[in-house]
Amino acid sequence: MTVRVGDFRFVLLGELRRLLAEARQAEERAATPDFVSREKAELIVRRSISESVAELASYGARIGAAFPALASTVEAANALAQRIRATSDAAALVAISADISALFGSPSHPAEARPVSLQVSEQGIRVSIGAQQPAERNGPTTPFAAAVEAGRDVQFYLAAISEVIASARDAGRAPSGVEQTARAAAYQALEVGHTMPSAFRPIATSGFRKWQTSLSLADPGEGHNLVTCLDAQLLTGTVVHVEHIDRGRQTDREIVEAYRLPAPLSAARVRLQAGIAAPCTAYIGRPAFENGAAPDSATYLPLARYYDEDLLKAAHITASACSVMFGNGIADCKIAIERMSVLQAVRFMAAVAGNVSRDSSRQFLSAAFNINQPLYDDRDSAAPHWTGSRIGVAHTGIDIATMGGFDKVTWDGASNLPKSEPIIAAFTAAEWLGLIHSAHERGLETYVSAGMDRTHMAACVECAVDGVGIGTSLHYLQRTADGKIVMGELKPDAVLDVLATRDAAAVGVKGSGAGALAMLDRLAFEKLLPPRCETLRQQLYASLASADEASIEACLARLARNPFWQAMEQHKAESFNKHPAIAQAERRLISIELAAWAAPAEMSKAAAAESSQRLREAVGRGDITDILEELR
C-alpha cells in the first residue's frame, strides 16, 4: 500500500503520541504496580500538522511533569515532531520513522517474521508486507478501474497487517518497530474511508459454540489496542466490546447514558488488531429523537415527545451508525430500547433492521433493556399499562426483541449509583434460568451486564447466558483521598481470573447441564428435536431450575446414550468455526438422515425431499442466501 507523503507525516505524529502514552504507562507501572491509569477517550478531531505538533508538545509536557525520568524522551519526541513538520521528503520521513523506533527502543524485526518494509516510491512511501502484497503497477486508466485497483491494494494491506499483528501476538512478542509503523499506516487507511476486509469472527450460535458463555471486555478502544488485542490469552473465549464508558461528573443516566456510542474509527482500529481472533461488538445507544422526550404524566418516565415525526430520522441515524460498524466487521451492535412504548419500540426496531447494511446471518442487532427502567406496554389498546417489576421488564424485553426482528436481547442494570448493583443478584437462579431458556427457545442470543465481578461468573454460566459484560472490576482501581474510586487500564490478571472461573463452572454439573439445555433449546427453535429429546429437554430444565444435581446428572446420562444427541455433539465439535447458516443447514441434514426432522404439515413428502436436496446442493456450493431460504 502506498501512503502519500502528507498522510505519512500524520502517521508518524500519531505514532509519537502513542509511544509516549506507552512510555508513560511503563513508567507508571514500574512506580505503582498496583495501578496503571488509562487515557480518557476524547472526541477525535482532525488537526493540521502544526496543531498536531503543538498538541503533542502539550501532551509531552504533562508526561514530563508527572514523570521526570521521561523528560529527555519527551524533548527528543518534540524534536522529531519538528522535523516531521519541516519536511515533505519521503526519504527523510522514512529515516525519521527509524529514529522514532530507536528513541523508544522498539523491538527489532525478527528474521523469522513476515517481512515488513518502508520504501520510497514516486507516489509516496510504499509499505509492503511479505510476498502477498501486490507489486505497484502503473495502473488502469479509467477512474473507476483505478479506484477498484487502489481499493484492492488497501484491502490486501489491511488483511496482511492484521495477520502480522496476530503472528506477533501468537508468538508472545511485542510488534517490532517497523510493524508498529505499518500498523499506524493501516490506521490512516481506515481514517480516510477504507474498510476492513469482510473476514471476521462472529459470535456464532448459542449452544453450538466452543464457549457457551463469553466474557465481554469493554473499553472505548485504546485500552483494547494497548492491552486486549496484544495478548492471545485475553482473546480466548472473550468478546472485544467497544463503547464509551466515561460519564465524567454527570451520573444521571437520563442526562448521560451509562454507556455511549464510541468513535467508529476507534472500533475499526480495534477490529484491525483483533483480526479474526475474537468477535468485536459495539454499543450504539438509545435512539436520538430530535424533539426530545417528555415525562409521562402518571409515572414521570420519559417517552419520545413526537415519536411519529421523529421515527424516520431516529431509525435512519441508528441504522447508519450500525452500518458503519458492521462495514468494519463488528459482529454485534447494541441498541438501547428506551423512551418508547412497546409498540413504538417494535416499529423503531423493524425500521432499523430494514435499513441497516449487514450480513444478517453473522452480524447481530441487540436490543438492550435496563431492568430498572419500566416499560409502557400498549400491545392491548384497551388496557395499556406500565410494567415496572424488573422480571416483568426482562420478559417483556424478550417479546420486544422477537417482535422487532432483532437477534439478541440484553439486560442491563446500570443506575445513577457510582457502582451498579450486580445484575445477576436481581433475580433468583431459577428466574435467570427461565429468562435465558425462554429467549433461547425463540432463537435469541442473551447478554447481561452491570456491577459484576469474578464471583458472579459461575452463576452466569449456570443459567447458560451467552454473554457477560464485566467492566470496572477488570480494570486497575485506585481509591483517591476523598474516597472516590478511579478506574485505570484493563488488568490482564483480572481478566484471566474471570475466564478461569468461567471454565471451571462450565465443566461442573450445573454448568454442563446449562450448556446442554442451551444446545437443546437451539435445536427446539430450529424444529429439529425428536420427541424423546424434547422430553429430556423439559426434564433437564426442571432439574436445573430446582438445582437438583443428581437429577441433572441423570438427564445428561440419558442424553449421552441418545443417538441423535451423539450426532449433534459430534457436529458441534466439528462445526463451531463454520459459517452459522452452513452449520444450521448441516444440523437439519443430520436430522433428516436420522429421521428426526418433521417437515411442516403443509409440506408433502415429495416437497420435503426436494427441499432437502436443494439444501444439500446449496451447502455444497456455499450459497448462503439459498441456504437461508430453505431453512425458513
Side-chain angles (χ1 to χ4, degrees):
M1 179 182 75
T2 298
V3 183
R4 303 290 181 179
V5 166
D7 289 330
F8 199 73
R9 294 164 77 196
F10 283 104
V11 166
L12 295 182
L13 287 172
E15 274 297 275
L16 276 172
R17 196 186 193 288
R18 183 189 65 78
L19 288 164
L20 279 175
E22 285 193 354
R24 176 197 64 77
Q25 280 198 347
E27 196 72 16
E28 185 176 20
R29 188 176 287 108
T32 55
D34 295 332
F35 183 77
V36 178
S37 62
R38 54 183 280 270
E39 299 275 321
K40 182 179 178 180
E42 297 179 347
L43 286 172
I44 297 173
V45 298
R46 181 67 173 176
R47 296 186 173 95
S48 67
I49 286 289
S50 294
E51 289 169 339
S52 297
V53 170
E55 195 279 332
L56 182 73
S58 175
Y59 180 67
R62 295 195 299 273
I63 290 177
F67 301 98
L70 293 177
S72 61
T73 302
V74 169
E75 183 179 355
N78 286 333
L80 287 169
Q82 293 295 341
R83 286 172 58 192
I84 293 168
R85 180 169 66 174
T87 186
S88 291
D89 179 74
L93 291 170
V94 170
I96 292 172
S97 173
D99 292 341
I100 291 172
S101 295
L103 171 63
F104 289 93
S106 299
S108 57
H109 196 66
E112 69 277 7
R114 194 168 171 182
V116 180
S117 63
L118 307 178
Q119 300 166 331
V120 175
S121 73
E122 290 184 6
Q123 289 77 27
I125 294 93
R126 182 77 181 172
V127 190
S128 299
I129 300 175
Q132 290 189 20
Q133 187 70 7
E136 193 164 5
R137 295 169 287 274
N138 292 329
T141 56
T142 68
F144 281 117
V148 168
E149 195 62 44
R152 176 177 175 271
D153 191 15
V154 176
Q155 287 279 292
F156 264 104
Y157 181 80
L158 292 174
I161 191 60
S162 191
E163 291 171 357
V164 164
I165 294 167
S167 178
R169 179 171 60 228
D170 292 343
R173 65 174 178 84
S176 68
V178 70
E179 286 172 337
Q180 293 178 43
T181 304
R183 179 181 58 192
Y187 285 173
Q188 187 275 337
L190 294 170
E191 184 174 339
V192 299
H194 293 283
T195 57
M196 286 293 297
S198 59
F200 62 90
R201 181 173 289 276
I203 291 175
T205 304
S206 180
F208 285 89
R209 306 184 268 268
K210 190 170 183 180
W211 293 274
Q212 167 57 23
T213 300
S214 295
L215 173 63
S216 183
L217 308 176
D219 188 87
E222 196 55 30
H224 285 318
N225 290 334
L226 291 172
V227 181
T228 315
C229 294
L230 297 182
D231 188 333
Q233 293 184 91
L234 301 184
L235 296 178
T236 303
T238 58
V239 171
V240 183
H241 185 60
V242 188
E243 69 181 20
H244 194 95
I245 57 178
D246 296 304
R247 282 194 281 179
R249 297 179 180 177
Q250 181 54 260
T251 59
D252 187 345
R253 68 179 304 278
E254 288 302 327
I255 298 174
V256 178
E257 286 187 275
Y259 328 106
R260 284 177 289 165
L261 175 72
L265 182 57
S266 295
R269 289 173 173 174
V270 170
R271 253 289 291 136
L272 175 82
Q273 291 223 132
I276 59 172
C280 295
T281 63
Y283 185 79
I284 304 300
R286 58 194 176 204
F289 296 114
E290 62 180 317
N291 290 296
D296 174 77
S297 58
T299 64
Y300 298 101
L301 292 167
L303 290 172
R305 189 185 300 269
Y306 296 103
Y307 174 85
D308 288 329
E309 291 77 7
D310 289 351
L311 175 60
L312 181 143
K313 185 174 180 179
H316 287 178
I317 288 174
T318 301
S320 297
C322 292
S323 295
V324 170
M325 296 296 185
F326 287 141
N328 275 307
I330 294 296
D332 175 290
C333 284
K334 187 188 302 183
I335 300 163
I337 306 302
E338 296 184 19
R339 300 182 175 178
M340 295 173 284
S341 72
V342 168
L343 291 183
Q344 287 175 342
V346 170
R347 287 177 62 198
F348 168 77
M349 292 160 65
V352 170
N355 282 280
V356 74
S357 298
R358 62 169 175 149
D359 177 349
S360 60
S361 62
R362 297 194 301 155
Q363 293 176 306
F364 296 159
L365 288 169
S366 293
F369 298 92
N370 189 298
I371 62 171
N372 300 314
Q373 191 82 5
L375 289 170
Y376 185 66
D377 193 338
D378 54 349
R379 285 176 286 182
D380 182 353
S381 59
H385 61 279
W386 284 93
T387 297
S389 73
R390 288 175 162 186
I391 195 70
V393 169
H395 275 291
T396 303
I398 295 174
D399 293 341
I400 295 173
T402 304
M403 295 164 63
F406 273 36
D407 314 283
K408 185 173 178 179
V409 58
T410 81
W411 298 287
D412 177 62
S415 66
N416 292 339
L417 297 173
K419 188 180 189 306
S420 300
E421 297 175 0
I423 189 171
I424 201 68
F427 309 131
T428 66
E431 286 174 328
W432 273 118
L433 182 74
L435 275 170
I436 306 303
H437 176 57
S438 177
H440 284 168
E441 286 182 315
R442 302 200 203 182
L444 294 173
E445 290 282 323
T446 57
Y447 178 92
V448 294
S449 65
M452 292 183 291
D453 58 31
R454 178 188 61 80
T455 63
H456 303 106
M457 196 64 182
C460 293
V461 170
E462 290 168 1
C463 66
V465 68
D466 300 281
V468 178
I470 299 181
T472 302
S473 66
L474 297 184
H475 292 71
Y476 288 96
L477 301 174
Q478 184 181 70
R479 188 177 295 276
T480 62
D482 58 2
K484 293 183 178 180
I485 298 293
V486 177
M487 183 168 63
E489 194 57 86
L490 280 164
K491 188 176 182 180
D493 287 348
V495 176
L496 296 176
D497 198 17
V498 174
L499 292 176
T501 302
R502 186 269 312 273
D503 293 344
V507 297
V509 174
K510 288 188 283 188
S512 298
L517 180 64
M519 192 169 161
L520 288 165
D521 285 342
R522 180 66 197 186
L523 290 166
F525 169 73
E526 294 176 4
K527 297 180 173 58
L528 300 180
L529 276 185
R532 183 172 296 181
C533 285
E534 174 57 31
T535 299
L536 283 172
R537 182 173 80 99
Q538 300 300 336
Q539 292 172 349
L540 178 59
Y541 171 64
S543 300
L544 285 163
S546 62
D548 184 341
E549 293 197 7
S551 181
I552 295 169
E553 288 183 312
C555 288
L556 293 175
R558 287 196 292 273
L559 273 173
R561 295 191 295 269
N562 186 284
F564 175 84
W565 182 254
Q566 293 169 359
M568 285 300 166
E569 285 210 305
Q570 182 178 348
H571 158 79
K572 176 181 177 178
E574 297 171 349
S575 68
F576 66 87
N577 270 332
K578 290 184 178 180
H579 191 289
I582 291 176
Q584 184 178 345
E586 289 178 346
R587 288 193 289 277
R588 179 180 289 187
L589 293 173
I590 291 169
S591 297
I592 291 169
E593 290 172 5
L594 296 175
W597 181 57
E602 66 274 11
M603 186 180 285
S604 67
K605 287 186 178 180
E610 289 177 7
S611 175
S612 300
Q613 183 59 32
R614 287 196 299 270
L615 188 58
R616 286 189 181 89
E617 292 171 355
V619 169
R621 61 178 183 270
D623 190 329
I624 303 302
T625 300
D626 264 6
I627 288 173
L628 293 174
E629 284 299 310
E630 291 300 327
L631 290 174
R632 288 184 190 278

